Amino acid sequence: QLIDDNFRFVKVPKFKVIDGKKSLNQERGKIPYKLSELKDWITHGNHVGIWGWYGKLGIVDLDHPNKDTRHAMLIAIVKECGKTWIVKTCSGKEHLYYYVDRECHPEMDIDGDSEKGKAWEIRAQRDKLTLVPINNHGLYRTLWDHGIATTTIDQILYALKRWTWDKNCLLYTSDAA
């Protein structure tokens, strides 16, 4: 699904994957690669992260700790935005991949409380990285193998309205400068 010359990736050494978010944050600012440039890297068991927005890619990251809530979110998004490629992460959560209409990074805390963590976020901004299931490392796996669908940020936000506690969520969705 990720064979697209418009997408950009970053190298993530296999030993850094244990703490995915920390590893990806350390990779910011490094040279973005095309997937075709990383064949040897992947062959040697290493991983890659994908940058948001390159190729108009947006990744919906469902982080709510309650599995039933995440499942309801996933169903709402697919109903509103269409079937797409969905990946199950090593923590058992889901990433939905869509082509989107604008660069932004909306996110929402659980019950509107940052202490509880993220309920969801949309990574459609160039400084947002996501680990991808590019080789058989067992950390991430394909859940639904559909092609990447096209939607709008507003459609995704509409689907997530039930889990959006800040009704001014559009404050979070302003186009990146």
Side-chain angles (χ1 to χ4, degrees), residues 57-97:
L57 183 67
I59 300 146
V60 182
D61 183 4
L62 302 179
D63 281 333
H64 198 287
N66 182 288
K67 182 179 179 180
D68 293 335
T69 300
R70 282 194 326 275
H71 182 73
M73 288 177 182
L74 186 148
I75 296 302
I77 295 167
V78 169
K79 230 175 156 179
E80 179 66 26
C81 304
K83 294 178 181 178
T84 194
W85 187 45
I86 302 175
V87 171
K88 179 144 324 248
T89 70
C90 56
S91 63
K93 297 176 181 172
E94 297 81 19
H95 289 168
L96 291 79
Y97 288 73

Side-chain angles (χ1 to χ4, degrees), residues 22-154:
K22 184 178 178 184
S23 297
L24 291 176
N25 286 335
Q26 291 172 353
E27 302 305 317
R28 286 195 175 134
K30 295 195 177 175
I31 299 170
Y33 297 91
K34 291 181 181 180
L35 191 57
S36 59
E37 298 172 313
L38 296 174
K39 286 181 182 172
D40 286 343
W41 177 259
I42 294 165
T43 301
H44 288 95
N46 291 295
H47 312 291
V48 296
I50 191 166
W51 292 97
W53 187 241
Y54 282 97
K56 295 193 173 193
L57 183 67
I59 300 146
V60 182
D61 183 4
L62 302 179
D63 281 333
H64 198 287
N66 182 288
K67 182 179 179 180
D68 293 335
T69 300
R70 282 194 326 275
H71 182 73
M73 288 177 182
L74 186 148
I75 296 302
I77 295 167
V78 169
K79 230 175 156 179
E80 179 66 26
C81 304
K83 294 178 181 178
T84 194
W85 187 45
I86 302 175
V87 171
K88 179 144 324 248
T89 70
C90 56
S91 63
K93 297 176 181 172
E94 297 81 19
H95 289 168
L96 291 79
Y97 288 73
Y98 284 99
Y99 293 107
V100 294
D101 61 329
R102 66 180 181 201
E103 182 176 7
C104 65
H105 179 235
E107 57 188 355
M108 188 56 53
D109 295 324
I110 297 168
D111 300 328
D113 182 352
S114 63
E115 296 294 318
K116 292 183 179 180
K118 296 280 175 255
W120 56 264
E121 68 178 305
I122 303 170
R123 296 180 184 154
Q125 192 167 315
R126 289 180 196 259
D127 68 343
K128 298 300 173 191
L129 283 165
T130 303
L131 192 65
V132 295
I134 219 67
N135 58 22
N136 294 322
H137 51 69
L139 295 174
Y140 286 27
R141 63 182 175 82
T142 296
L143 184 62
W144 288 357
D145 196 7
H146 297 281
I148 299 173
T150 299
T151 191
T152 67
I153 294 295
D154 288 339

Side-chain angles (χ1 to χ4, degrees), residues 3-15:
I3 308 298
D4 184 324
D5 279 342
N6 295 309
F7 294 161
R8 292 295 179 268
F9 300 85
V10 67
K11 294 178 178 181
V12 179
K14 56 186 165 191
F15 62 86

